[in-house]
Amino acid sequence: SYGYYPLTGLCRSIRPRQVSPDDNLLAYGYRLESGNLGLRVLEIDSTERIYATPEFDGKSIRRIDWSLDSQSLLFFNYHIRNKTGSVSRVDLIEKTTSELISGVTSYAVSRDGGLLSVATNSFDTGPVPSADLKLLDTTGQVDQLLIDTISGEDRLFTFAWSPLTNEMLYQARYHFGGDENDDPGNYPAGPLVLMRADGQRSSILAENDRFPAPWLPYFWLNEQLILLPRAGSFMVLTRDGRVLFEQSMSTGSLVVPSPDHTLLAYVDFVDGDRSDPQVYILDIETGSIHSAGPASDLWKEYGSNDTSILRWSDDGAMLAWNRTTSYEEISVGELYVHDVDTHGTELITSDFLHISTRIEPNNQSSYGDFDGSFSWLQGETLLEYIVDTGAGLELTLADPIEQTTQTIGMIAPGLDTACRYARVWRSRKQVLWNRCGDGVYYSRIGVDQEVSSDKVYERDLSYPRQSKNHEFVVAQSLVLSKPLGRDQYWVVFDFVVGKMLKVEIPPQHAQPVLMTLLQ
């Protein structure tokens, strides 16, 4: 976990939702008639309500974190006016809700789910504004441990737990640069510290003024190696601070590790020529770098971070990315696939649907007006994407190995269609997508790659959350004639049994209504 980051769109109000690690429960926030908030937990298969928190005063629920055993969860209740929030714990065995800590600006959960690192901020209270980094037990039964304190107008802690061990990296930011240097990567900061679960700390990198930028996360490649990106470059270093690689990359790019964390993909310029961005792949074991093909990068010239999005196939054998050729909010571009073993690159299409995207570095991903316009199907070297045929926008499936493509279905009549563009969700050889203005469709892709599609629902679905095994998605349903409407309902679609459940919360009722929409 990389701590709290702002959400966008409808999710920004009160309604995050998270599926439990065992894929059996759904937790979601809602607003009561009184204007206060609440959080509910539903059992997905039986649609039984497991627990509902007492209502509480707040502006928005920004985050939900499940325990590994799916028997408890944490949620972050954020108060915009106070610029802080509180972290509370729900115990589903005892059926209780308890506040763990208030005044929180960000937090992260340890690998085993037992510890919570929390940044708190006094803002304008007290003689000198200060921020604290604390360590506490997620059950609230152990006293808080103060890790570090910083003071000053601009203060920030960045921190990340290792997904492999119960250790955390953190760094104190004293201020966001200054008037003398506008370099977005120049953020004077304290030493980079490695902290164990018992609070013991050791410095990895000394205090420095150039690395990394505060919005970029630390990424553990394995128990020994750490990836540290910054605006315009990245480092790979050992847990004792020895730097293995320091490599430049374009400012708007993300460095994206392969699934086994042995390769790093990123965008950089050839000999500093900003007119010639390329996708590069670095082999961590050998240090070798090779160019995979042409990319796009607009971060500097156009005041945008509309860069190529890099996505690995599940087996790490192939890397796909888009190259923007027309810099409008909605346009067409190119889509490439690179074979890591042969170093061969294939242009999949020159009619790829491009929607202006934004980089979300906190989780090494990107997002646009819908859930990405290309993706690998789970466990397959099959690439799903959207093309502009001139007669409409079509959802397409490509097999880069066999060099074949197949149309799955139509999503919209054209680029100028006045409606929400399709969201696409994937499971193993199964796809769920919106046909713009015409409801939701479900496709099964057979062994022979024949596609069968069925219309399943007369609604537009947005902001999906997918289960870890990709067997179902949770999305918000909107009335097609009112694409910006709020307070509709959640929908749960199960790819395995082909069932869609409606989780409805009528405005005047606190009790959700559940019904089966598709059997």
Side-chain angles (χ1 to χ4, degrees):
S1 173
Y2 294 116
Y4 157 73
Y5 55 91
L7 299 177
T8 60
L10 296 177
C11 290
R12 195 170 183 175
S13 56
I14 59 166
R15 293 194 167 189
R17 62 277 189 209
Q18 285 291 352
V19 177
S20 60
D22 63 8
D23 286 334
N24 291 326
L25 304 175
L26 167 67
Y28 63 96
Y30 66 99
R31 188 178 297 280
L32 297 167
E33 186 178 0
S34 63
N36 290 337
L37 307 181
L39 183 138
R40 287 202 175 93
V41 180
L42 297 175
E43 189 174 70
I44 293 175
D45 289 339
S46 68
T47 69
E48 177 186 355
R49 189 180 75 178
I50 302 300
Y51 181 69
T53 65
E55 66 176 272
F56 48 86
D57 179 34
K59 184 63 178 179
S60 62
I61 299 176
R62 291 288 180 91
R63 178 172 163 180
I64 297 172
D65 291 275
W66 281 93
S67 63
L68 296 181
D69 61 7
S70 302
Q71 294 183 355
S72 64
L73 60 86
L74 304 176
F75 66 91
F76 184 35
N77 177 27
Y78 184 69
H79 296 260
I80 294 178
R81 180 176 300 177
N82 300 331
K83 300 179 182 179
T84 62
S86 61
V87 179
S88 298
R89 179 176 186 266
V90 174
D91 188 322
L92 296 177
I93 303 300
E94 300 294 332
K95 308 294 185 185
T96 58
T97 300
S98 56
E99 182 179 294
L100 297 180
I101 188 170
S102 60
V104 175
T105 57
S106 61
Y107 74 91
V109 184
S110 65
R111 173 184 175 273
D112 65 1
L115 295 173
L116 199 63
S117 52
V118 175
T120 61
N121 205 323
S122 67
F123 286 94
D124 298 326
T125 62
V128 179
S130 64
D132 295 332
L133 180 63
K134 300 177 181 179
L135 186 69
L136 60 151
D137 180 85
T138 53
T139 65
Q141 299 176 355
V142 179
D143 291 339
Q144 300 175 13
L145 176 64
L146 178 62
I147 301 300
D148 205 345
T149 299
I150 51 176
S151 300
E153 292 185 1
D154 296 319
R155 57 210 174 277
L156 176 71
F157 283 105
T158 54
F159 45 93
W161 288 91
S162 166
L164 307 168
T165 62
N166 249 27
E167 295 174 303
M168 183 182 74
L169 285 171
Y170 82 86
Q171 197 169 30
R173 318 286 177 167
Y174 295 109
H175 56 86
F176 295 137
D179 296 335
E180 298 180 359
N181 194 334
D182 294 330
D183 179 6
N186 186 353
Y187 289 84
L192 182 64
V193 177
L194 178 67
M195 187 192 75
R196 300 200 315 248
D198 60 5
Q200 293 296 312
R201 301 181 289 281
S202 59
S203 178
I204 293 181
L205 290 179
E207 184 173 329
N208 64 91
D209 64 355
R210 65 186 187 90
F211 161 86
W215 61 82
L216 295 174
Y218 314 121
F219 191 92
W220 295 76
L221 297 170
N222 53 48
E223 291 187 13
Q224 300 299 322
L225 298 183
I226 301 162
L227 170 64
L228 294 177
R230 65 186 292 263
S233 69
F234 63 88
M235 283 184 179
V236 175
L237 70 158
T238 63
R239 58 182 296 118
D240 59 1
R242 182 167 56 93
V243 178
L244 298 183
F245 307 106
E246 183 171 8
Q247 178 61 43
S248 65
M249 67 176 176
S250 67
T251 306
S253 177
L254 291 178
V255 52
V256 184
S258 61
D260 63 1
H261 298 167
T262 61
L263 303 173
L264 301 177
Y266 60 96
V267 174
D268 202 4
F269 304 105
V270 178
D271 299 325
D273 181 1
R274 296 195 61 83
S275 66
D276 191 13
Q278 296 279 312
V279 173
Y280 289 93
I281 297 177
L282 184 152
D283 188 315
I284 296 174
E285 295 182 359
T286 65
S288 63
I289 299 175
H290 72 269
S291 173
S296 57
D297 185 286
L298 300 178
W299 202 88
K300 286 284 188 182
E301 290 88 339
Y302 297 88
S304 165
N305 54 357
D306 205 3
T307 188
S308 290
I309 304 305
L310 313 177
R311 288 180 174 155
W312 292 94
S313 60
D314 282 359
D315 61 3
M318 294 187 176
L319 177 72
W321 71 91
N322 62 310
R323 178 175 179 264
T324 303
T325 55
S326 175
Y327 305 123
E328 300 176 4
E329 183 177 359
I330 301 175
S331 57
V332 295
E334 298 171 340
L335 185 64
Y336 291 87
V337 170
H338 178 75
D339 188 305
V340 172
D341 291 331
T342 67
H343 287 194
T345 297
E346 178 187 357
L347 174 62
I348 300 297
T349 180
S350 296
D351 297 316
F352 168 73
L353 173 67
H354 166 78
I355 292 186
S356 180
T357 53
R358 301 175 295 279
I359 296 296
E360 178 48 78
N362 294 65
N363 56 14
Q364 291 286 307
S365 67
S366 62
Y367 59 97
D369 288 347
F370 59 95
D371 181 31
S373 45
F374 71 97
S375 181
W376 297 96
L377 290 192
Q378 182 200 14
E380 303 289 339
T381 51
L382 297 174
L383 187 67
E384 163 269 305
Y385 57 97
I386 299 171
V387 297
D388 179 15
T389 65
L393 304 181
E394 290 185 347
L395 187 61
T396 309
L397 188 72
D399 187 331
I401 297 177
E402 299 295 331
Q403 296 188 343
T404 59
T405 60
Q406 187 174 16
T407 298
I408 295 179
M410 176 77 71
I411 69 165
L415 290 176
D416 57 352
T417 303
C419 68
R420 304 176 70 89
Y421 280 89
R423 269 79 176 172
V424 181
W425 308 282
R426 310 96 183 164
S427 184
R428 187 175 180 88
K429 290 194 175 182
Q430 299 181 70
V431 181
L432 178 71
W433 83 98
N434 290 343
R435 179 174 293 178
C436 193
D438 197 25
V440 180
Y441 284 73
Y442 174 52
S443 294
R444 297 179 186 270
I445 305 165
V447 178
D448 55 1
Q449 291 195 19
E450 289 188 0
V451 177
S452 61
S453 301
D454 294 301
K455 185 176 179 181
V456 298
Y457 194 42
E458 295 275 1
R459 286 291 184 273
D460 185 30
L461 302 183
S462 62
Y463 302 102
R465 292 289 179 92
Q466 190 140 8
S467 63
K468 291 184 178 180
N469 62 11
H470 289 231
E471 290 184 352
F472 59 86
V473 295
V474 179
Q476 186 170 27
S477 176
L478 305 174
V479 176
L480 289 171
S481 60
K482 298 179 180 179
L484 298 180
R486 293 175 179 246
D487 297 326
Q488 301 296 318
Y489 40 80
W490 298 126
V491 216
V492 179
F493 185 89
D494 189 323
F495 279 110
V496 177
V497 299
K499 179 176 67 174
M500 185 179 283
L501 297 177
K502 174 183 177 184
V503 183
E504 186 174 9
I505 310 172
Q508 304 302 320
H509 300 276
Q511 173 68 34
V513 178
L514 295 108
M515 57 181 292
T516 299
L517 300 179
L518 176 70
Q519 293 288 358

